[in-house]
Amino acid sequence: MKSSFFVSGVPCTGKTWLGNWLFENEGFEHVDAEKNGGRDLDTVGIHHEWDSVASEGRADNLARKIAALPKPVVLNWGFPMSYLYFVRALQVAGIETWWIRADPQLARDAFISRGGINVACFDRQIGDINRNIALIELVFGTRIIDGLTTNGEQRHPSELWSEMNQK
């Protein structure tokens, strides 16, 4: 079994679905950093350490706390690009990181279909991602996978999980 890891990426590419699927099928604890102001961070007792990464740029304490938990953890967060340092800090502390990419128009269509949030939010976020794609590719390296099929459907989490385990 894979150890704990972090996943982020383009909106509507299946990050949360993957985390939920891993919780239900592979024995992971799923922490969605965006859920209700970080409620999931509180549930597993890592909110303080998470906030410390944001303020100090070091993830050693977070990595130790996660390693001490009884189950492996999948953390997901659609972070602002100004937080790429956060991802790098996770990597330096030994936490594997993954980026789920998608064609921007297909992801936008999926975002609109999902509903509930103004599409202008997606447009701002994808613009930020597009401006920083070279840095994203540099930081995540070979741990980048496609979250949508060529017709814009989300890939099943089991497919993503299988691909992640092959890299």
Side-chain angles (χ1 to χ4, degrees), residues 60-131:
D60 300 333
N61 290 335
L62 177 63
R64 275 193 291 280
K65 187 89 177 232
I66 289 171
L69 293 171
K71 296 180 183 179
V73 175
V74 55
L75 300 151
N76 78 274
W77 181 31
F79 64 92
M81 291 297 100
S82 61
Y83 280 79
L84 269 168
Y85 76 91
F86 192 105
V87 176
R88 186 65 188 128
L90 294 175
Q91 293 169 337
V92 168
I95 297 174
E96 193 173 287
T97 62
W98 288 86
W99 181 262
I100 304 179
R101 67 181 168 204
D103 173 270
Q105 186 58 54
L106 293 175
R108 188 177 197 274
D109 293 344
F111 187 90
I112 291 168
S113 293
R114 181 173 69 184
I117 303 174
N118 187 321
V119 72
C121 295
F122 175 89
D123 293 338
R124 277 191 302 278
Q125 190 171 2
I126 201 69
D128 200 20
I129 289 168
N130 288 339
R131 281 187 299 279

Side-chain angles (χ1 to χ4, degrees), residues 25-92:
N25 296 281
E26 297 291 333
F28 275 76
E29 189 69 56
H30 176 211
V31 176
D32 185 338
E34 297 174 64
K35 191 171 189 179
N36 298 326
R39 181 185 57 80
D40 284 359
L41 295 166
D42 293 326
T43 300
V44 295
I46 61 170
H47 206 153
H48 174 75
E49 292 77 10
W50 180 270
D51 289 347
S52 291
V53 179
S55 64
E56 300 168 12
R58 297 187 51 86
D60 300 333
N61 290 335
L62 177 63
R64 275 193 291 280
K65 187 89 177 232
I66 289 171
L69 293 171
K71 296 180 183 179
V73 175
V74 55
L75 300 151
N76 78 274
W77 181 31
F79 64 92
M81 291 297 100
S82 61
Y83 280 79
L84 269 168
Y85 76 91
F86 192 105
V87 176
R88 186 65 188 128
L90 294 175
Q91 293 169 337
V92 168

